[in-house]
Amino acid sequence: MLLATALLAKMPTFVRAWRDVDVRATTILLACATAVLVVITPANIHRLNVWTGIPNVAAPWAYSFLTAFCATSMTMIMRWREPPSKRRDRRMRAIYLIYACIIAALWITFFLADVPEPRIYDLDTYYATTLWMREHTLLYVVTHMVSSLTAAYMLWKWFPQVTNRWLKTGVVFLQLGFLSGLFFDAAKYAAVTARWTGHDLDFMSTEVAPPFALLQSILVALGFLVPQAGPFLHQWGRDQRDYARLNLLWRTVRVIEPAAAEARVGWRAPVDLRLIQRRQRIHDALRLLAPYFDVAAYDLAHRAAAAEHDASQARGLAGALAIQAAVDDYCCQRPHHTKTQPPQIGPDVTNHIDDIAQALGQTRALDRIRQQTISTEGASRHV
């Protein structure tokens, strides 16, 4: 389910940017990993055998996708760790050619083998001593083992050079995934060689190996997805947090009539676009509030807040109080500016709207600072 979800999530990107070789490679890798897990389920093995009328045809199907998955995994690692060059392109083409030949050999050995009895769970061990099927099984196990070892070695050599945290996390997932693949290969090889020597270790193939295959597909797919999806999800979460944080300030100033008609952006629009519009709406409202903004009241509130809070909180609390007062004066049409003092709201407010939005939720602190400023103003008038 995880791989299928990741593949579906990747499809819109593939449709938009199918010319991008990295996007194509990632999509093919996810498709191969998903296909392997779909084909190896007992119900789908039986269904494929019945549909085609060819006993055990699900074996070369699954092993072909597994081999393609190995090839794509290695070339993806090469794309990550090596800069573009003709030498890298030649090596990747060579890998695709070699693995295409292996896939062809899997189908040739399967059709040369005599496997009339359908076996859903124990095909590898049941036909372990059958001519050509023996070679068929050994071919995919050795190919998978060599691929896992090669990929693990490439990642181990490259890991100390990785500095990006998302990429480093992906490399860890990949290393764990290829390690799981080696356990799968060891279990399969133990079960098959036991049959060759007249012993029975079929449980290694039917019970021990499959969970490692499943684990490898998931871990390797995650390893390739995390470096791509991680930064996007991180930024998406940050935008969601900032969008929600600005809600109180946006609700405070939305009584200000915009100077021009606003573009409509629905809730289905991307969060980054909605965040940009919300910030723009707030800044436009502050510009219109400038004639009603009392700079002296802001300074007084800032001094009172700075005595109890750090710099960012003090700016936020002072700005929140000053903006609330400006909105009230706007509603009552009581401007504060004069002809000799043009209206403006300084960067102490406009550059810290996030702090102000957060302070609007601190009602007790706002009430306390408001009372202190009222007391200070009263004392000043009395003096």
Side-chain angles (χ1 to χ4, degrees), residues 248-266:
L248 287 176
L249 180 55
W250 172 74
R251 292 178 65 180
T252 300
V253 302
R254 69 177 178 177
V255 298
I256 312 300
E257 293 294 333
E262 292 184 309
R264 292 184 175 274
V265 177

Side-chain angles (χ1 to χ4, degrees), residues 1-12 27 29-38 214 217-218 221 225:
M1 180 61 73
L2 176 65
L3 288 172
T5 302
L7 180 60
L8 289 175
K10 196 71 179 175
M11 286 307 296
T27 307
L29 182 141
L30 289 173
C32 292
T34 304
V36 171
L37 298 182
V38 169
L214 176 62
S217 297
I218 293 174
L225 279 175

